[in-house]
Amino acid sequence: MSKLFVDEIQPKTTGGVFASPALAFMAQKTDVNTYSTQGNITFNRTLLANNAWNGTTFTAPKSGIYRFFLNGHHNSASATFLETAIMVNNTAIVYAYSLNATSTRVRVFNELIYELALNDTVNFYLSGGDIYAGNLSGVTCGGQFLGSSS
């Protein structure tokens, strides 16, 4: 009897697309409840589901390198600021900031590639200002597993 030794098993791909479900999620806030108070943003519409995502918090189901993003724009066309953050274990890791013009609603974009341990949490946070939360141009977030770190 022989033994099989492998370092890693890769999922079968078809035309560059994984045949098995990927560890990824994407969500939007489309319920027109504008956020103007600091805190975690709750998303009401999930476009790509993963059971590690609950609409507010992503909990890493395995250790490794992940990519996250958050984007949105000012709710009001005033000369106020908007600041958002991607939080890991309740600590801001990356911020996006804009000072708005009175004639436009500037969009901000956060992106983070980060090594997470098992059960680390990621939240999307409004640090200041107000953020638009209506229809399909509102706040959007997402994340995906890129691979193991070792």
Side-chain angles (χ1 to χ4, degrees):
M1 178 179 250
S2 61
K3 294 181 181 179
L4 174 64
F5 296 95
V6 296
D7 290 327
E8 186 175 350
I9 297 175
Q10 295 289 323
K12 180 181 175 185
T13 61
T14 306
V17 177
F18 284 112
S20 60
L23 175 53
F25 70 95
M26 183 174 171
Q28 292 178 316
K29 179 153 181 52
T30 63
D31 60 6
V32 302
N33 294 324
T34 297
Y35 270 78
S36 58
T37 304
Q38 289 184 352
N40 292 326
I41 301 169
T42 300
F43 296 83
N44 64 298
R45 182 174 184 232
T46 297
L47 303 170
L48 177 63
N50 182 278
N51 60 4
W53 170 248
N54 70 7
T56 302
T57 303
F58 174 82
T59 303
K62 60 182 174 178
S63 299
I65 307 296
Y66 290 81
R67 175 188 175 267
F68 299 97
F69 71 89
L70 168 66
N71 72 70
H73 63 80
H74 287 265
N75 182 62
S76 58
S78 65
T80 61
F81 74 99
L82 170 61
E83 185 176 71
T84 59
I86 298 176
M87 313 281 281
V88 176
N89 297 325
N90 297 313
T91 300
I93 302 300
V94 64
Y95 286 98
Y97 178 87
S98 76
L99 183 58
N100 207 20
T102 56
S103 60
T104 62
R105 296 188 298 180
V106 177
R107 182 169 287 276
V108 297
F109 188 86
N110 303 65
E111 185 168 14
L112 175 66
I113 296 176
Y114 201 79
E115 183 175 4
L116 297 179
L118 176 66
N119 294 321
D120 278 351
T121 59
V122 175
N123 294 85
F124 303 93
Y125 193 81
L126 177 64
S127 305
D130 60 11
I131 196 164
Y132 181 69
N135 69 42
L136 301 181
S137 68
V139 186
T140 305
C141 74
Q144 67 189 87
F145 178 74
L146 298 178
S148 63
S149 55
S150 54

